[in-house]
Amino acid sequence: MDKIDFNDGLLGFLDASSTPFHATQNMAMMLENCGFERLYEEGRWELVHGGKYYVTRNDSSIIAFTYPKRRDFTIVGTHTDSPNLKLKPNPVIKEHGVVKLGVEPYGGLLLNPWFDRDLSLAGQVSYLSTDGSIKTTLIDIKKPIAVIPSLAIHLDDKANSERTVNKQTDITPIVMCGDDFEIKSFIKDELERDGVDDVEEIYASELSFYDTQSASFVGLNDDFIASARLDNLLSCYVALISICSVSSDTPFMIVASDHEEVGSDSTSGASGNFLENVLKRMFSDYEDYVNMTRTSILISADNAHALHPNYPSKHDKEHSPYINKGVVIKVNANQRYASNVKTISKFMDAASKVDEPIQYFVTRSDMGCGSTIGPITSTRLGIDAIDVGLPTYGMHSIREICGSDDAHSLYKIILGFCR
Ligand code: ZN
């Protein structure tokens, strides 16, 4: 796929994937279009060599794989979740002439960029159906229905020097004037507008606020792509297009897990047994299973901090990735990243054969370092891994910035890597 089509598809995927549930649904849809067959964890698997399959867990994590006779898999690991403001179960607050909805921050989000945005709400809803069964469905309101206004500078003359944001009191989105609002009937009405007309009672929901501003090219020469959730839908998209581009006799797998931003400890997170169970069902003979884990390589793809031109001192000078200068290999002596010399060499070899540049990221020795699903997955399964990522400004902001060349470059390297 050429870069223009690739980036067009990326922008559409970002806009359509407002939550991990929507990202998973969109990935499943694209996989079906590419000939992948859906499996269910609770069903019996009769895998056929030459087939292509996918399976989801919690509707928010997804694994897809080819199933050739070879066992030396290239596995691309990513995550579907991004930091956001999540609705509390009893969110409605009526005070000071307005209705506000109480939220709980999910993950390590930058709070300041959430002010003065046109926010909407999306996620998963579980309800009692008129036929007596419990059903789940996705919802994306799309229309801007909420805003968190800044406090005017006239009311806080230290706003630019000392203002902090209190997570409990300062970031509650406002949805309307007056007090005529009830959350369950609001959700029910929205579902009805979407054609879901069998709702007897809303039981539970997992809804998140998101910025309605669409993903966009930015810059004099369209050098940048600005969007919400680039971390890590950018890598999800690269993984998805990669697996749709390889032939069914190439051993290839993608794993997109939920809950990375909160530590990966859940049934659908990378610390859970989702991937392990899938691999054991693919390779039920223990010898084959161990052989696969020791001949396969995990490419853990998650965004990397590009050197911010206004804050250069935050980076190690020799390991400062630039936007549009290529995929970043992440290295950490303390194993916060899983890259090792063998996996780095193989990745560099693939990059050089397709003539794509690479860069290194090592965090400053006097600063902390994020982590990824790379070390978690390789520790759990014994699969060698490399941590890579695409250079990004403003990670965990409501609007992040990446380069318009780098994602396509990673895609080309991955296709070279899995040959
Ligand atoms: Zn990430």
Side-chain angles (χ1 to χ4, degrees):
M1 188 186 286
D2 71 24
K3 195 168 72 186
I4 293 172
D5 288 347
F6 183 93
N7 281 341
D8 277 353
L10 169 61
L11 266 52
F13 177 70
L14 291 164
D15 288 340
S17 305
S18 43
T19 71
F21 303 109
H22 292 85
T24 299
Q25 185 184 58
N26 292 330
M27 290 173 83
M29 224 151 57
M30 286 161 79
L31 287 163
E32 299 224 351
N33 289 339
C34 297
F36 285 75
E37 187 186 319
R38 179 163 194 168
L39 299 167
Y40 294 88
E41 282 199 285
E42 58 275 28
R44 188 167 178 81
W45 291 12
E46 309 278 0
L47 304 178
V48 178
H49 286 300
K52 303 195 286 184
Y53 304 95
Y54 79 91
V55 56
T56 67
R57 190 181 271 196
N58 189 45
D59 303 318
S60 63
S61 292
I62 187 164
I63 293 175
F65 57 92
T66 58
Y67 193 56
K69 290 212 164 117
R70 272 170 61 191
R71 291 189 288 265
D72 52 333
F73 272 72
T74 298
I75 305 171
V76 182
T78 65
H79 64 88
T80 55
D81 60 320
S82 306
N84 65 70
L85 298 179
K86 223 161 244 206
L87 208 64
K88 290 177 180 172
N90 295 322
V92 178
I93 303 163
K94 297 177 178 178
E95 60 183 14
H96 312 303
V98 298
V99 176
K100 304 192 284 187
L101 296 181
V103 291
E104 192 178 7
Y106 171 87
L109 72 174
L110 277 173
L111 292 170
N112 274 304
W114 281 77
F115 289 91
D116 311 321
R117 298 278 174 164
D118 305 343
L119 303 175
S120 191
L121 198 58
Q124 190 181 51
V125 179
S126 163
Y127 65 93
L128 175 66
S129 161
T130 45
D131 69 10
S133 63
I134 296 175
K135 294 185 178 173
T136 56
T137 188
L138 301 194
I139 184 169
D140 185 345
I141 290 165
K142 293 198 171 100
K143 176 175 143 50
I145 57 154
V147 67
I148 310 169
S150 288
L151 180 65
I153 195 160
H154 318 75
L155 306 179
D156 178 7
D157 59 8
K158 303 213 170 45
N160 289 329
S161 53
E162 289 178 13
R163 184 180 292 175
T164 57
V165 182
N166 182 292
K167 290 178 183 172
Q168 174 67 19
T169 56
D170 297 352
I171 49 156
T172 311
I174 299 170
V175 291
M176 63 180 285
C177 295
D179 61 3
D180 186 17
F181 182 83
E182 206 277 310
I183 188 71
K184 285 191 175 177
S185 51
F186 166 74
I187 295 171
K188 193 174 171 198
D189 289 351
E190 287 297 325
L191 286 175
E192 254 166 37
R193 275 195 326 129
D194 262 5
V196 182
D197 55 6
D198 61 339
V199 180
E200 183 73 37
E201 188 185 344
I202 304 288
Y203 275 160
S205 60
E206 186 178 329
L207 303 179
S208 301
F209 282 101
Y210 70 92
D211 186 6
T212 54
Q213 187 178 1
S214 302
S216 164
F217 289 101
V218 176
L220 274 178
N221 304 310
D222 288 350
D223 284 335
F224 308 106
I225 292 173
S227 173
R229 303 175 298 280
L230 284 174
D231 172 14
N232 185 11
L233 294 183
L234 188 60
S235 309
C236 289
Y237 178 77
V238 174
L240 183 65
I241 301 301
S242 300
I243 199 168
C244 287
S245 302
V246 301
S247 68
S248 53
D249 55 9
T250 305
F252 200 95
M253 173 181 261
I254 65 172
V255 188
S257 304
D258 196 1
H259 298 144
E260 191 274 344
E261 299 293 358
V262 292
S264 295
D265 286 341
S266 73
T267 56
S268 51
S271 293
N273 66 359
F274 185 31
L275 175 58
E276 184 181 1
N277 283 6
V278 169
L279 293 176
K280 283 184 171 164
R281 293 172 93 166
M282 291 167 71
F283 302 97
S284 52
D285 179 278
Y286 191 63
E287 286 294 320
D288 290 349
Y289 173 77
V290 174
N291 175 274
M292 180 277 308
T293 60
R294 296 308 303 153
T295 55
S296 298
I297 291 182
L298 169 75
I299 300 174
S300 160
D302 201 349
N303 300 47
H305 297 294
L307 176 97
H308 192 309
N310 299 344
Y311 302 88
S313 65
K314 296 293 181 187
H315 273 73
D316 179 304
K317 224 170 113 218
E318 317 306 327
H319 303 92
S320 307
Y322 289 174
I323 296 259
N324 288 336
K325 291 284 184 203
V327 177
V328 177
I329 296 175
K330 305 178 190 174
V331 175
N332 182 261
N334 299 298
Q335 296 299 307
R336 302 282 290 167
Y337 300 131
S339 313
N340 66 36
V341 288
K342 285 185 195 149
T343 55
I344 292 171
S345 307
K346 177 144 199 242
F347 193 84
M348 287 183 74
D349 188 52
S352 104
K353 285 192 171 123
V354 293
D355 209 20
E356 292 294 326
I358 61 112
Q359 319 181 68
Y360 272 106
F361 174 75
V362 179
T363 199
R364 282 181 59 110
S365 300
D366 54 2
M367 278 174 69
C369 161
S371 192
T372 71
I373 60 143
I376 295 169
T377 310
S378 61
T379 302
R380 204 183 146 85
L381 300 172
I383 298 175
D384 282 331
I386 181 168
D387 269 295
V388 301
L390 301 171
T392 307
Y393 294 144
M395 216 169 335
H396 292 193
S397 171
I398 198 168
R399 200 159 174 84
E400 301 168 317
I401 314 282
C402 69
S404 48
D405 293 340
D406 295 324
H408 189 255
S409 176
L410 175 58
Y411 163 67
K412 282 168 70 182
I413 296 170
I414 288 173
L415 292 190
F417 190 92
C418 68
R419 278 198 191 107

